[in-house]
Amino acid sequence: MRTFLLKGLFGRPLTEAAPKVDASELEELATLLGDTARRKLGRSLSIREVDAGSCNGCELEIHALNNAYYDLERFGLRFVASPRHADVLLVTGPVTRNMKEALERTYAATPAPKWVVAVGDCGVNCGVFKGSYAVAGSVADVIPVDVSIPGCPPEPTALLKGLIALIDANER
Amino acid sequence: MSLVSSLIEQAIHRTALRPWPGLAVDADTWRAATLGLGAGEVSLVALWAGDAGTVHMALRDPADGQSVVLSLATTDGTFPSVGLTHPPALRPERVIRELHGLVPEGCPDDRDWLDQGRWGVRHPLGAATAVAADGDAYAFRAAEGVPMHQIAVGPVHAGIIEPGHFRFTANGEHVVRLEERLGYVHKGVDSLLRGASIVDGARLAARVSGDSTVAYSIAYARAVEAALGLAIPERAVWLRALMAELERIANHLGDIGAICNDAAFAMMLAHCGVLREQVLRAAKATFGHRLMMDRVIPGGVAVDLTDAAPIRKLVAAIRSAFPALISLYDNSASLQNRTVSTGTLDAGLARQYAVGGPVGRASGLTFDARKAPGYAPYPDLVFNIPVRESGDVDGRVWIRIDEVNESLGLIDQILTRLPSGPIAVALPTASEPSEGVALAEAFRGDVMAWVKLGADGRLAAAHLRDASVFQWPLLEAVIENNIVADFPLCNKSFNCSYSGHDL
């Protein structure tokens, strides 16, 4: 145990530099978010993850955001346990019919101002599950979406870029 | 004579299934099999419905590993219940009833399982009648006695995990009953597979449970290849195993870290998370995708290995960092205090459910699809199947630790002996109707894939069965008499797939 703690104290961190976010992407987001967010929240956002029907591939990569390489918390972004503590809902899909009401209720339980990020190809357009009797639609078909991060699953850097864009735009 | 041999003798005729014997049976033979299951003479591998009102039951002889698939063509829309004599069949049977409208006669549980009354359709794979989608009530089982209270958890959970509902009945801190309600991530995979091309089917199979994407792709591809009688190049077989072992290591590392984290030992998660990330990066560098999704395809693999250096480096890195983590786990009394003797799975229950993966092997079962029935290239490789008897959370952690080490050894052997040559063959176009079945060992247990190909070369029907199907019910059993706060630990040590179960 002591070895681990000492190594942690004196070793070089594994954490990597933040990915660059495209200026035009930022501009677009800034307009979207307006300045309410900046006034109310500054640079800190609390995220509630909601799996509304994913295959769990997206969850694995969202988990990876917390590992030492990506260290999401250094950006003031952190995952919280309840929608009532959240500013951002990070939603993976496709939204199944059995999860639709739970997602709607989670959205309703999140205090305003709030943003929704749709994650993964399925969250964005239902992916390979399009057309199933059990699928209600993409995330945007069920609740209003502010940012989309496609990919199957999106890599942690893509997720990080999308989320940093959200706080940077939030700052303007 | 073993039950399996006598079932083979009683079959009306052989179906087109390969490579296991496919037996078309009548209701009496089906019933004989259900009694054999109840008596523990055979293990249930899977129970599902295909097309045209046919129900299938895959069985394995626990003595010699011989597997068969019984197929019963229902004439009046009913079949003899398997769950009546063999409880592990209850949930699969409820799924057959609600998706296909085929009635298991005598089934002691008449509740729907995946169907929550929100699809707007009943029996979507059968008569498909439109109904209102306003949701059904669900009758949870009661627990009697005072003072009892219920705790309802989910479907939206506190962590970054999949959705499901847990209904605890507790007496103070002690859990008296846990009942699961699943189906929230049901995406209608069986219906999407129906009529799909082999290639589209592969993309769906790879997305049944994202954490086991390689194992699912292997099971599906091997089932398709068995149906078509297609032999694939040696190099592809070995590359598949390489990807499968990388996937196993990545997931086990994630699980070991996450289990310790649920005992508030976050340091283990941090270090295991670093190692897991290194596996995913090596996978990306070698095969172009962190989870290696769609890299295994029917006919072979989609990408060749050009440079083994990232994987060799990874194996060396894990070998140097992992032993210290193992002794950290082994020597932290506060952590052991939470994992040892928590959530104990009784060996008899494990055997009854023929439960696969670390859950079964921590309770004394030796089954691993890589050894029995075994599939290439594993019979050519040297490795052990770790087995423990304790059946608790600690046992399941140790199985994973031991399997990481075994998989590192497998990767060494694969890299040293990797055959050269092509990595895929083209799939033959239209063929005669055929059926194939295959198992692949995912990190959480055996995945079964069954496909029925039509004369047009498309999937007439297909079914994928996750190891979780038989693990979920046992989670309800192991939590009994544990305290509520130990549930996350028990749950994580099982790490069942919601998506793989719900399909």
Side-chain angles (χ1 to χ4, degrees):
Chain A
M1 171 85 88
R2 203 180 305 131
T3 333
F4 278 103
L5 293 174
L6 286 172
K7 263 194 199 154
L9 273 176
F10 298 112
R12 267 188 29 235
L14 292 165
T15 311
E16 295 167 336
K20 288 236 165 25
V21 180
D22 212 36
S24 62
E25 260 173 76
L26 258 185
E27 205 54 54
E28 200 182 310
L29 272 170
T31 338
L32 196 77
L33 296 173
D35 60 357
T36 353
R38 182 182 51 79
R39 276 190 279 115
K40 299 214 163 152
L41 303 164
R43 264 192 78 94
S44 174
L45 291 177
S46 295
I47 307 169
R48 175 75 272 241
E49 199 269 347
V50 185
D51 175 341
S54 109
C55 76
N56 78 31
C58 287
E59 278 62 35
L60 295 175
E61 294 298 54
I62 292 170
H63 259 296
L65 288 174
N66 279 327
N67 77 31
Y69 288 94
Y70 304 107
D71 186 20
L72 189 68
E73 288 212 19
R74 70 187 141 140
F75 303 107
L77 295 163
R78 61 189 197 103
F79 289 102
V80 292
S82 164
R84 299 196 194 279
H85 307 158
D87 309 305
V88 177
L89 293 183
L90 198 61
V91 189
T92 60
V95 182
T96 62
R97 289 196 191 273
N98 284 350
M99 270 305 285
K100 181 169 175 279
E101 186 189 337
L103 177 61
E104 287 165 344
R105 287 213 212 173
T106 306
Y107 182 75
T110 310
K114 56 188 165 190
W115 297 274
V116 175
V117 181
V119 173
D121 286 351
C122 295
V124 174
N125 61 25
C126 300
V128 293
F129 302 105
K130 196 178 289 175
S132 164
Y133 64 88
V135 168
S138 68
V139 179
D141 291 334
V142 179
I143 54 174
V145 167
D146 301 291
V147 181
S148 291
I149 308 176
C152 189
E155 296 191 0
T157 34
L159 290 165
L160 211 48
K161 259 171 83 170
L163 290 171
I164 292 172
L166 194 67
I167 40 172
D168 282 359
N170 204 0
E171 265 207 324
R172 296 200 171 179
Chain B
M1 188 165 63
S2 75
L3 178 63
V4 168
S5 329
S6 89
L7 291 172
I8 292 177
E9 271 187 12
Q10 286 170 41
I12 304 168
H13 63 85
R14 290 292 185 100
T15 63
L17 185 71
R18 278 183 291 212
W20 303 350
L23 314 173
V25 297
D26 58 19
D28 284 339
T29 311
W30 180 275
R31 228 174 259 120
T34 69
L35 294 175
L37 279 168
E41 294 169 54
V42 279
S43 307
L44 184 64
V45 178
L47 178 65
W48 74 100
D51 58 344
T54 305
V55 286
H56 305 273
M57 168 161 53
L59 301 173
R60 177 173 59 241
D61 189 327
D64 58 7
Q66 163 83 53
S67 302
V68 290
V69 173
L70 270 52
S71 303
L72 172 69
T74 61
T75 43
D76 56 354
T78 70
F79 62 98
S81 166
V82 187
L84 181 62
T85 52
H86 190 58
L90 281 173
R91 287 177 182 177
E93 205 160 87
R94 289 160 74 187
V95 172
I96 293 175
R97 184 176 56 206
E98 67 199 352
L99 293 188
H100 297 263
L102 301 171
V103 180
E105 290 235 289
C107 176
D109 196 333
D110 56 8
R111 298 172 299 172
D112 281 334
W113 178 235
L114 303 176
D115 185 351
Q116 304 185 354
R118 296 174 186 277
W119 297 335
V121 58
R122 295 283 179 198
H123 312 138
L125 286 154
T129 23
V131 289
D134 40 14
D136 295 337
Y138 190 73
F140 286 97
R141 297 282 187 232
E144 288 170 15
V146 277
M148 298 280 190
H149 62 285
Q150 286 202 342
I151 308 170
V153 180
V156 178
H157 295 161
I160 305 172
I161 58 169
E162 299 178 75
H165 182 88
F166 301 112
R167 186 65 61 95
F168 298 91
T169 306
N171 180 348
E173 275 289 290
H174 289 266
V175 179
V176 176
R177 182 197 281 278
L178 161 66
E179 193 172 356
E180 296 151 1
R181 192 188 187 191
L182 302 175
Y184 289 94
V185 279
H186 176 71
K187 294 181 277 285
V189 173
D190 280 9
S191 87
L192 291 166
L193 285 168
R194 240 186 216 188
S197 69
I198 289 176
V199 174
D200 289 346
R203 288 182 58 78
L204 271 161
R207 287 159 182 79
V208 167
S209 184
D211 49 16
S212 309
T213 177
V214 173
Y216 268 91
S217 294
I218 292 175
Y220 172 84
R222 290 185 57 241
V224 168
E225 289 150 10
L228 295 173
L230 188 68
I232 65 161
E234 275 289 286
R235 187 173 173 83
V237 170
W238 286 67
L239 285 175
R240 283 180 180 180
L242 177 59
M243 293 186 219
E245 296 313 315
L246 285 171
E247 179 175 84
R248 191 178 328 277
I249 293 175
N251 283 306
H252 279 347
L253 286 170
D255 281 353
I256 295 165
I259 294 167
C260 296
N261 191 53
D262 274 4
F265 200 80
M267 188 153 96
M268 198 74 172
L269 176 66
H271 286 277
C272 287
V274 166
L275 292 181
R276 178 187 154 83
E277 178 69 20
Q278 289 174 1
V279 181
L280 301 190
R281 288 180 176 204
K284 166 90 180 173
T286 313
F287 299 110
H289 191 285
R290 285 163 55 90
L291 304 180
M292 298 167 284
M293 216 168 234
D294 302 325
R295 268 43 188 178
V296 172
I297 51 170
V301 294
V303 258
D304 202 356
L305 175 93
T306 47
D307 176 14
I311 298 180
R312 288 191 195 280
K313 208 174 132 208
L314 169 79
V315 171
I318 298 177
R319 281 221 169 96
S320 97
F322 199 46
L325 291 171
I326 300 173
S327 54
L328 180 64
Y329 173 77
D330 206 13
N331 295 318
S332 298
S334 61
L335 185 54
Q336 297 274 312
N337 187 22
R338 295 292 308 279
T339 58
V340 176
S341 82
T342 304
T344 306
L345 172 61
D346 172 70
L349 262 184
R351 213 169 24 249
Q352 184 187 14
Y353 279 73
V355 62
V359 175
R361 292 192 285 272
S363 288
L365 298 194
T366 53
F367 177 75
D368 184 310
R370 294 173 297 171
K371 284 275 191 204
Y375 52 95
Y378 293 104
D380 275 344
L381 297 165
V382 181
F383 66 107
N384 293 313
I385 303 296
V387 177
R388 289 186 177 245
E389 309 289 337
S390 65
D392 54 1
V393 173
D394 177 62
R396 293 187 280 277
V397 171
W398 276 108
I399 294 285
R400 290 180 170 99
I401 290 174
D402 293 342
E403 288 189 3
V404 167
N405 288 325
E406 292 295 330
S407 293
L408 290 173
L410 282 169
I411 289 177
D412 277 343
Q413 297 174 56
I414 293 169
L415 289 180
T416 314
R417 296 174 50 196
L418 189 64
S420 54
I423 55 161
V425 288
L427 293 175
T429 44
S431 60
E432 58 199 50
S434 55
E435 264 181 75
V437 65
L439 288 181
E441 187 71 18
F443 78 103
R444 90 164 39 91
D446 51 313
V447 169
M448 193 203 79
W450 169 83
V451 298
K452 185 174 177 187
L453 297 174
D456 55 357
R458 300 176 83 87
L459 297 167
H463 182 69
L464 297 152
R465 196 273 292 136
D466 197 271
S468 306
V469 169
F470 298 118
Q471 293 171 344
W472 275 118
L474 295 174
L475 179 62
E476 290 183 351
V478 305
I479 186 64
E480 209 178 303
N481 293 324
N482 284 260
I483 57 170
V484 175
D486 278 338
F487 175 70
L489 210 50
C490 296
N491 190 19
K492 203 73 87 185
S493 75
F494 271 59
N495 190 18
C496 302
S497 173
Y498 298 69
S499 186
H501 167 279
D502 292 354
L503 282 183

